[in-house]
Every structure is written in structure tokens, then in C-alpha cells.
Amino acid sequence: MTTSHLTHITEPPGVAPATGYTQVVTVTGTGRLVQVSGQVAFDEQGNLVGVDDPEAQARQVFENLRRCLAAAGAGFEHVVKFTFFMTDIAYLPAIREARDEYLGSLPLPAASAMQVVALFRPEVLIEIEALAVVPE
């Protein structure tokens, strides 16, 4: 599927189909690279949203990603890759649900998901970074 300057290849020949992400995203033409550092579930005042609640944390993380992308003149339609870090892989469905709320019907970007031993504070359950390309 092609979305302006991005082409999503969901099923490359010889590769098992992906569930919940796109296997390959290519960028054509010129564009501006936007790298969003890992976002966690802090609100505007620096308070953690959703202590012990992966669903609430995932929603806040995606809201923070939205705000960071907007500050760079980008949106979720420009994201080519997410990297999900979580302290329990069981949080992945909550992350995908929040992602789907924010992306709506947009093609899914490439993604990597990993369980980590810990994030920088014990009450932080999820961290997500994004890579986007905005057409010039």
C-alpha cells in the first residue's frame, strides 16, 4: 500500500505475514527525517499517568508521541517505524490498542517490540520511540 511518499510492503515474498505491523516501509522522494526519543507516560507536569496501568500508560505515551511529532511538523501518517520497550511483553496488546486509537485506518508502520528487564524508573512500564519521514 502506498501513502504519498511511503510504500508499505506487508508481505514480502518468502517472509511470513506480519500481525500488527508492516514488514517493510520504503520512502520515495525527498523528505525530512524526524526521530522522536523514547516517550513514557509523563503528563505535561512530569507526573506519571497510570501507575500500575499499562493501558493508561500506553495512551499517554501515544499522546506524547503525537505532541512530539506535531512539534516537528509531522503526524502518525509520517511514522515509518516504532520501537516498543516494555517491562512485560503482556503489555503489547495495550500498546497496540492505543496505537490503533491514534493511527486509525493509517497503514501500520514497521515495528520492533521487546521486553526489557527495567526502564529508567520502576513504575514506568512502557517506552516507545518513533522514526518518521516528512515529505519536503
Side-chain angles (χ1 to χ4, degrees):
M1 169 181 272
T2 301
T3 305
S4 67
H5 68 296
L6 304 179
T7 300
H8 294 74
I9 304 168
T10 56
E11 296 182 19
V15 177
T19 301
Y21 62 96
T22 295
Q23 294 280 12
V24 180
V25 180
T26 65
V27 180
T28 56
T30 60
R32 182 170 43 85
L33 184 66
V34 177
Q35 174 67 57
V36 179
S37 293
Q39 295 297 303
V40 297
F42 291 146
D43 65 14
E44 293 177 67
Q45 291 75 40
N47 300 310
L48 183 67
V49 172
V51 174
D52 297 324
D53 183 347
E55 292 85 6
Q57 286 198 23
R59 284 190 302 277
Q60 183 64 47
V61 168
F62 273 94
E63 178 58 21
N64 291 348
L65 288 167
R66 184 194 68 73
R67 291 175 181 177
C68 288
L69 289 165
F76 286 114
E77 69 274 17
H78 302 115
V79 172
V80 297
K81 174 128 191 308
F82 285 125
T83 305
F84 305 137
F85 304 94
M86 64 212 83
T87 57
D88 188 333
I89 202 69
Y91 303 153
L92 188 56
I95 292 170
R96 286 181 170 169
E97 183 177 321
R99 178 207 57 201
D100 293 349
E101 288 175 18
Y102 276 84
L103 270 65
S105 63
L106 291 172
L108 295 175
S112 296
M114 61 205 78
Q115 179 174 312
V116 295
V117 172
L119 292 167
F120 73 102
R121 283 180 35 187
E123 64 273 19
V124 173
L125 307 176
I126 297 166
E127 182 171 340
I128 302 172
E129 60 185 32
L131 179 64
V133 178
V134 180
E136 293 293 339

